[in-house]
Amino acid sequence: MSDTPRIILHNDSTTDMEQQLLDRFPDADFRVCNSYDGLPSLIDDYRPHVLYSVRFAGTPGFPRAALFGPQGPAWIAVGGSGTDHLGQWDMARTTVTNSAGVAANMMAEYVFGGFLHFTLNVMGLQRDKAAKAWNARKVAPLSGKTLLIAGLGHTGRAIAKRAKAFGMYVLGTRANPRVMENVDEVHPADDLAILLPRADFVAIATPLTPETRGLIGRHEVAALKSGVVIADVSRGGVVDQSALLDALKAGQIAGAALDVFEVEPLPADNELWTLDNVIISPHCSSVYAGWEKASFNLFLGNLASWKAGEDLVNIVNPARGY
């Protein structure tokens, strides 16, 4: 650890970050990199102690090897919450932190925006408006319905809080179950399959790890009750996309708000694009005005702790993925 650590800021645009860093640490020693290709050589030449990195151009081509190479930093601060693009690492050699929690409230709002889209039949109302047709329609309440949240981290807890405001009964899973505010029943992750048939709504908010890849496969999709609505803000690969597609086409799943996909961008020929009962968003449920500033402020607080020899927050265990 150095009193004046060498820092690399890695994002497609770093101007605002540079000013935030200098406002907090006027004597900061840092370099910037605005590409994936340029990062390996900068790491070799500059030998940073600290790297703040945003996965701004997706996972393919991300220069993971350079981060964990011989000149790689001792601390990697990930600007988002997911760290699956980093694979596995040696915690004794490299500390990785993330920005989990920064976008939790926004992602929870996205989830309920998706739920309400279907319960209020927005698509039907829009069709009637376009046709200037005064059709009698019914809307459905969230109150009294059961919501299952797969993953009770920052985002899952934010979802649960909003669910209670709507008067929903909340089930949730987590690796280490414990009593939690706004959650009526907390179950171990292994109980997911037996909980799925109880849910009227499902929110998927778990990180992608070896244990959660394929967490909701064809067997689990088949266990869902007819008419369920799903919102997925986890990572592509947690849900079996083929099984989900079949259930949506069959009408077993009434609607799905999908922010993540097995291949991103979602290929133009993917059949999900054609389904009326699907909302597709380009992995943007966490992207709101000010999120980058909030994420970087979390990093700056951690940097102050690093310089003072204090514990960092949001340290990620690669075995768990969070």
Side-chain angles (χ1 to χ4, degrees), residues 1-6 49 306-307:
M1 184 184 311
S2 170
D3 290 337
T4 308
R6 295 187 297 276
H49 300 99
W306 171 276
K307 288 165 64 69

Side-chain angles (χ1 to χ4, degrees), residues 50-226:
V50 178
L51 171 72
Y52 177 84
S53 178
V54 175
R55 179 174 40 176
F56 55 87
T59 298
F62 186 86
R64 178 199 178 278
L67 273 61
F68 298 105
Q71 308 305 334
W75 169 29
I76 299 169
V78 176
S81 60
T83 59
D84 46 285
H85 61 299
L86 298 182
Q88 296 294 300
W89 62 88
D90 181 358
M91 292 185 71
R93 182 180 183 276
T94 308
T95 297
V96 174
T97 60
N98 67 7
S99 298
V102 165
N105 288 332
M106 186 67 257
M107 294 170 76
E109 290 183 26
Y110 173 94
V111 165
F112 277 92
F115 290 165
L116 291 168
H117 175 89
F118 294 109
T119 60
L120 300 180
N121 195 4
V122 172
M123 286 291 293
L125 294 172
Q126 290 288 75
R127 285 194 298 268
D128 290 348
K129 179 185 174 185
K132 299 180 181 178
W134 190 267
N135 288 329
R137 289 187 179 273
K138 290 184 178 180
V139 293
L142 293 176
S143 179
K145 300 297 175 59
T146 296
L147 168 63
L148 170 60
I149 305 172
L152 287 170
H154 293 282
T155 301
R157 295 195 297 273
I159 293 168
K161 181 177 180 180
R162 285 153 181 79
K164 279 301 167 187
F166 278 104
M168 303 182 80
Y169 189 83
V170 181
L171 311 172
T173 63
R174 56 176 287 143
N176 300 300
R178 60 179 174 82
V179 174
M180 303 186 75
E181 188 177 8
N182 299 312
V183 184
D184 295 289
E185 299 178 27
V186 181
H187 292 261
D190 290 345
D191 282 358
L192 182 65
I194 64 174
L195 298 174
L196 287 168
R198 298 175 57 188
D200 302 299
F201 296 83
V202 177
I204 306 160
T206 184
L208 179 63
T209 69
E211 289 72 30
T212 63
R213 184 174 291 279
L215 180 71
I216 298 182
R218 195 162 291 276
H219 174 75
E220 287 75 22
V221 169
L224 291 165
K225 72 166 61 172
S226 180

Side-chain angles (χ1 to χ4, degrees), residues 255-313:
L258 306 177
D259 191 49
V260 295
F261 304 90
E262 292 173 352
V263 176
E264 297 180 359
L266 183 66
D269 61 354
N270 191 290
E271 200 172 354
L272 286 170
W273 288 109
T274 69
L275 301 184
D276 287 340
N277 56 347
V278 176
I279 298 170
I280 291 175
S281 56
H283 206 146
C284 64
S285 64
S286 62
V287 180
Y288 63 93
W291 83 266
E292 287 185 306
K293 183 175 182 179
S295 172
F296 199 68
N297 278 334
L298 177 62
F299 163 68
L300 292 178
N302 255 347
L303 182 58
S305 297
W306 171 276
K307 288 165 64 69
E310 299 171 353
D311 293 339
L312 302 180
V313 300

